[in-house]
Amino acid sequence: MVLESLARIVKVQLPAYLKRLPLPESVGGFLRLTVSEWLRLLPFLGVLALLGYLAVRPFLPKKKQQKDSLINLKIQKENPKVVNEINIEDLCLTKAYCRCWRSKTFPVCDGSHNKHNELTGDNVGPLILKKKEV
Ligand code: FES
């Protein structure tokens, strides 16, 4: 029953619909179409545009995804790699180190992770180093 209906649509109704479409034979013919002819043509052109978009979409650049994957958005962007050294003797001075890459005092945490977490729903926080008491 379903296949019978599908076959009727593909073999009878679709060709009849396409035959009735006011498709001009030249580009200039589009300029001479009346409003009612354009209205009859619009669904067909919409389907063609959708199929074209779906066919091309896998090949479109995905810049937004690439930008979302960046971790470091602004710290020392002139350097190919950001590396920080901290002397072990200085660890007693600063205990919280940034892991969100949003700190204005990087690599030291300035609490910017709180705003980042609020805006994005993320849950990042600093690395806290503790000295064992002997
Ligand atoms: Fe980045 Fe706190 S500011 S972890």
Side-chain angles (χ1 to χ4, degrees):
M1 180 73 173
V2 173
L3 281 180
E4 201 174 289
S5 299
L6 186 65
R8 179 169 167 67
I9 289 171
V10 171
K11 290 180 178 176
V12 178
Q13 292 177 338
L14 185 60
Y17 167 74
L18 292 174
K19 203 172 192 173
R20 285 192 312 266
L21 281 179
L23 271 177
E25 293 182 5
S26 67
V27 177
F30 281 101
L31 299 175
R32 290 187 288 277
L33 289 177
T34 65
V35 174
S36 71
E37 288 172 329
W38 270 110
L39 290 177
R40 282 183 14 225
L41 207 50
L42 273 181
F44 175 71
L45 294 177
V47 169
L48 280 185
L50 178 67
L51 290 176
Y53 171 73
L54 291 176
V56 171
R57 192 172 68 167
F59 305 105
L60 294 176
K62 296 172 182 152
K63 282 193 172 179
K64 187 167 179 10
Q65 283 182 344
Q66 288 173 348
K67 183 144 178 66
D68 287 348
S69 66
L70 285 178
I71 295 169
N72 179 11
L73 300 177
K74 62 183 178 190
I75 297 169
Q76 297 178 30
K77 293 306 270 185
E78 68 279 6
N79 292 339
K81 185 190 317 184
V82 178
V83 176
N84 299 102
E85 285 184 16
I86 300 164
N87 288 328
I88 203 157
E89 295 82 19
D90 296 336
L91 286 180
C92 60
L93 301 176
T94 307
K95 295 179 180 173
Y97 292 93
C98 179
R99 295 190 302 174
C100 74
W101 290 81
R102 303 297 185 272
S103 173
K104 289 167 190 70
T105 57
F106 192 85
V108 177
C109 172
D110 70 350
S112 294
H113 60 269
N114 293 315
K115 186 179 176 192
H116 167 76
N117 288 344
E118 259 182 56
L119 292 174
T120 63
D122 211 342
N123 64 347
V124 294
L127 167 67
I128 297 176
L129 299 176
K130 290 182 179 175
K131 190 175 183 181
K132 240 184 197 175
E133 290 187 29
V134 228

